[in-house]
Amino acid sequence: MRRKKVDSHRTERREAITSSPRSSLFSISSLLVMTTSCVGSTIGAGVYVLVGTVAREHSGPALTISFLIAGIAAALSAFCYAELASRCPSAGSAYHYSYICVGEGVAWLIGWALILEYTIGGSTVARGISPNLAFFFGGPDSLPFIFARAHLPWLNVVVDPCAAFLVLVVTALLCVGIKESSFVQSIVTTANVFVMIFVIIVGGYLGFKTGWRGYSLSNGYFPFGVDGMFAGAATVFFAYIGFDSVASTAEEVKDPQRDLPWGIGLALSTCCLLYMLVSVVIVGLVPYFAMDPDTPISSAFASHGMEWAVYVITAGAVLALCSTLMGSILPQPRILMAMSRDGLLPPFFSDVNKKTQVPVKGTIMTGACALAGMVSVGTLLAFTTVAVSILILRYVPPDEVPLPSEFHESIESVSSRYSGNDLEEKVENEGTSSSSDLEGSTDFPLIVKETDQEAAVSIASVCIGAVLLTSAASAGFLPSLVRYTACAVGASLLLVGLAVLSWIDQDDARHSFGHAGGFTCPFVPLLPICSILINVYLLINLGGSTWMRVSVWLVIGVFVYLFYGRTHSSLINVVYVPTAHAEEIYNQSSEAIA
């Protein structure tokens, strides 16, 4: 449950006092580069497939509304990310925010789950390059022998030379430097966006020419009903995942308080607009039930006599794969670096190359793991935790600062200036015993002080209610009475928590938490609670087989944390002091060093 503080100017002073400077990452990024990088990480080749699959099975002509609903749902998480990225601009993204607002244990699980997600995600994206390249050689299974996939029966392994080559190239590019890799990703993303604009303009021309026959159907605009439209929105929601990876590069952004919120917002708006326009065109060109589930866009153009467009669209899919792969490999070394800086992983991962100013070792290891290679469990867990962190930040913000043992004399000196036990009673020493006079206890994020109990209980009520409501709503195998009762209880807990949080005042300490003056999430507590509800619902519906595989990885992570991370944490011997007295203690320590 121990939490760290926000990195700020005090970090530099602490490092100067403790003689433990850390390597810095290279600062990049104009707002334009940040936005294109975010768009490139979000728009993957999946959109070239999702249009057909979701329209055929869920939404029909209402696919455009499904993309809009999914975009709004993704925006709820994006607002939460934007505020935390602005207040806590450091490498690590959701892991970093969880460590500051919730605690070390939850932060470890989030970071560990994201490691799996980015590794598997990178390998999955890379494997998609071969079938797309095959179209340039005449169709599936038409690749030259040297590029074709090969099955090694004695190892039961499929070797994919194209995927391996792409991963190696992207890994090498990321090792060269963040400036160079961002420039290349911007070019690739721009080309991919132009392909989508080509689909919209040329497809729109064909639609007006042929009368939009996809919308002239007897079963109307909602052939699967409103439920089908929402089911489609739940599926296409994953097409918006990717903007969160940009938050992991916050330490490499020159003006994170301005560029990160704007970059995330502009990128998500751009992706939503492109998705909606593409779906409007493709669904109008071909009736939803006649769409090719594998190549819906290419087949739609081919059905109107434009076979040559297949090459343009396939080129767009290949470009999207390359850009998304960069977005999958880029964040993981930063998360590993952040966890290593905090002592939860070996120091190997926190090494930053002095020449390129990127974590080269972590990047190479990430590329190697991608070569060996699931799911969106890690991202959805991160989205949920970030939304909870916003509630904690607004209602029960951390009011204590962890200081290393080197500050012990300064703490005693400052505490002696106050009459009685004004400071000593508030200081908390992490651990079971101490030779000092300071009282020792454990820091519980949701149990900070008595005046915060109402807010803490309400936040817990919201979380429990969201899990109970979504679980019961998705459990079709339960008897109706049990299911409806559980839904009622869950909804009651959720609504009571929302009502209480709306009624009580937010904590004034939130104004001084982290880097003030940046973006603030609107409509709190309603917006983050809606985000929690949506993300928990999607988590519940990922499927049992997915959760079984992920559970194995998380159990391994628990043991790694128990036997390494917990005992090597940078917070293992820290002393927690009230935030109000931290500045004075820093000044005292600086004077002593001087």
Side-chain angles (χ1 to χ4, degrees):
M1 301 302 288
R2 52 198 178 201
R3 295 179 292 183
K4 68 176 184 178
K5 67 181 182 64
V6 180
D7 292 335
S8 63
H9 64 282
R10 289 175 178 165
T11 303
E12 299 175 0
R13 293 165 61 184
R14 184 195 72 185
E15 291 169 353
I17 294 170
T18 59
S19 301
S20 58
R22 72 184 187 190
S23 302
S24 60
L25 299 174
F26 184 78
S27 295
I28 57 153
S29 286
S30 63
L31 178 59
L32 179 62
V33 173
M34 187 97 261
T35 303
T36 53
S37 177
C38 194
V39 171
S41 299
T42 304
I43 296 182
V47 70
Y48 292 90
V49 178
L50 277 177
V51 170
T53 304
V54 176
R56 280 175 61 98
E57 299 178 2
H58 300 294
S59 301
L63 176 63
T64 305
I65 302 180
S66 293
F67 270 113
L68 176 61
I69 294 171
I72 294 173
L76 300 180
S77 296
F79 277 122
C80 299
Y81 264 91
E83 174 168 345
L84 288 172
S86 175
R87 287 182 180 271
C88 316
S90 187
S93 186
Y95 158 78
H96 179 64
Y97 312 146
S98 303
Y99 207 160
I100 291 171
C101 295
V102 184
E104 185 176 276
V106 172
W108 167 266
L109 287 178
I110 295 297
W112 191 252
L114 287 175
I115 290 173
L116 172 69
E117 173 122 351
Y118 288 129
T119 300
I120 301 299
S123 60
T124 302
V125 168
R127 284 198 297 269
I129 195 73
S130 295
N132 281 282
L133 286 178
F135 278 100
F136 291 107
F137 293 90
D141 302 323
S142 300
L143 281 174
F145 174 76
I146 191 173
F147 298 124
R149 291 174 177 173
H151 180 251
L152 304 180
W154 57 90
L155 294 176
N156 196 26
V157 171
V158 176
V159 178
D160 192 332
C162 291
F165 178 74
L166 181 61
V167 170
L168 289 174
V169 170
V170 170
T171 302
L173 180 61
L174 292 173
C175 289
V176 169
I178 187 68
K179 182 179 180 180
E180 292 77 8
S181 61
S182 295
F183 177 72
V184 172
Q185 189 178 24
S186 297
I187 294 176
V188 173
T189 301
T190 302
N192 181 32
V193 170
F194 275 117
V195 171
M196 298 185 74
I197 293 175
F198 164 82
V199 171
I200 295 167
I201 294 176
V202 178
Y205 168 77
L206 291 175
F208 283 110
K209 184 178 179 181
T210 59
W212 299 105
R213 58 177 180 171
Y215 293 114
S216 303
L217 303 175
S218 59
N219 52 359
Y221 196 73
F222 299 94
F224 298 98
V226 176
D227 290 342
M229 181 187 67
F230 279 104
T235 303
V236 301
F237 175 84
F238 298 102
Y240 291 96
I241 287 178
F243 70 85
D244 56 301
S245 65
V246 179
S248 66
T249 64
E251 202 170 309
E252 294 157 282
V253 179
K254 289 183 179 179
D255 189 358
Q257 289 182 287
R258 184 201 69 174
D259 291 347
L260 276 174
W262 273 104
I264 291 173
L266 290 174
L268 200 60
S269 301
T270 301
C271 293
C272 185
L273 180 62
L274 289 172
Y275 288 161
M276 290 176 65
L277 291 176
V278 168
S279 62
V280 164
V281 169
I282 300 305
V283 172
L285 289 179
V286 181
Y288 70 92
F289 52 79
M291 281 189 178
D292 188 319
D294 298 320
T295 57
I297 300 179
S298 301
S299 61
F301 277 82
S303 68
H304 287 77
M306 298 183 64
E307 287 80 3
W308 58 270
V310 172
Y311 297 102
V312 177
I313 295 166
T314 303
V318 171
L319 291 171
L321 283 168
C322 295
S323 182
T324 305
L325 180 61
M326 294 181 68
S328 296
I329 295 181
L330 176 67
Q332 183 169 323
R334 276 87 184 153
I335 293 175
L336 291 170
M337 181 185 69
M339 297 175 74
S340 178
R341 282 177 175 176
D342 296 329
L344 304 184
L345 288 176
F348 170 87
F349 295 103
S350 60
D351 287 347
V352 176
N353 186 277
K354 293 183 179 179
K355 183 178 180 180
T356 62
Q357 290 183 277
V358 297
V360 172
K361 295 178 181 178
T363 301
I364 293 175
M365 178 166 288
T366 299
C369 291
L371 284 172
M374 148 174 339
V375 293
S376 297
V377 168
T379 298
L380 290 175
L381 283 174
F383 284 5
T384 305
T385 308
V386 166
V388 173
S389 297
I390 288 291
L391 294 178
I392 293 174
L393 169 62
R394 294 297 188 90
Y395 292 97
V396 280
D399 63 347
E400 294 172 331
V401 177
L403 300 181
S405 56
E406 288 84 354
F407 288 85
H408 185 73
E409 293 184 3
S410 298
I411 294 172
E412 288 188 330
S413 175
V414 171
S415 65
S416 65
R417 300 177 189 175
Y418 293 85
S419 60
N421 294 323
D422 179 62
L423 175 62
E424 287 186 348
E425 289 181 355
K426 295 182 181 178
V427 173
E428 295 181 352
N429 183 19
E430 187 70 50
T432 55
S433 62
S434 174
S435 59
S436 69
D437 297 331
L438 304 176
E439 295 183 5
S441 61
T442 305
D443 184 30
F444 292 94
L446 293 182
I447 309 176
V448 183
K449 49 194 177 185
E450 290 185 8
T451 55
D452 291 331
Q453 291 297 312
E454 196 173 31
V457 171
S458 299
I459 294 173
S461 175
V462 165
C463 296
I464 296 172
V467 172
L468 187 58
L469 175 60
T470 53
S471 300
S474 304
F477 58 88
L478 290 176
S480 298
L481 179 61
V482 176
R483 189 179 176 190
Y484 292 145
T485 302
C487 283
V489 173
S492 300
L493 289 172
L494 186 69
L495 293 174
V496 168
L498 172 61
V500 173
L501 291 175
S502 301
W503 175 67
I504 63 177
D505 294 330
Q506 297 181 23
D507 198 306
D508 291 335
R510 70 187 189 280
H511 298 300
S512 59
F513 180 84
H515 297 248
F519 178 83
T520 55
C521 180
F523 308 116
V524 176
L526 179 61
L527 189 148
I529 289 176
C530 289
S531 178
I532 292 170
L533 187 63
I534 292 170
N535 293 319
V536 171
Y537 173 79
L538 294 173
L539 277 168
I540 295 295
N541 286 277
L542 281 176
S545 59
T546 294
W547 275 107
M548 287 180 63
R549 291 192 296 270
V550 174
S551 297
V552 173
W553 175 255
L554 294 179
V555 168
I556 294 173
V558 169
F559 283 103
V560 173
Y561 173 72
L562 291 176
F563 291 104
Y564 184 88
R566 186 178 61 87
T567 57
H568 290 77
S569 171
S570 60
L571 299 183
I572 193 169
N573 290 315
V574 300
V575 178
Y576 285 90
V577 300
T579 304
H581 300 287
E583 188 67 28
E584 188 174 357
I585 294 171
Y586 273 107
N587 293 333
Q588 177 79 17
S589 300
S590 300
E591 293 172 2
I593 295 295

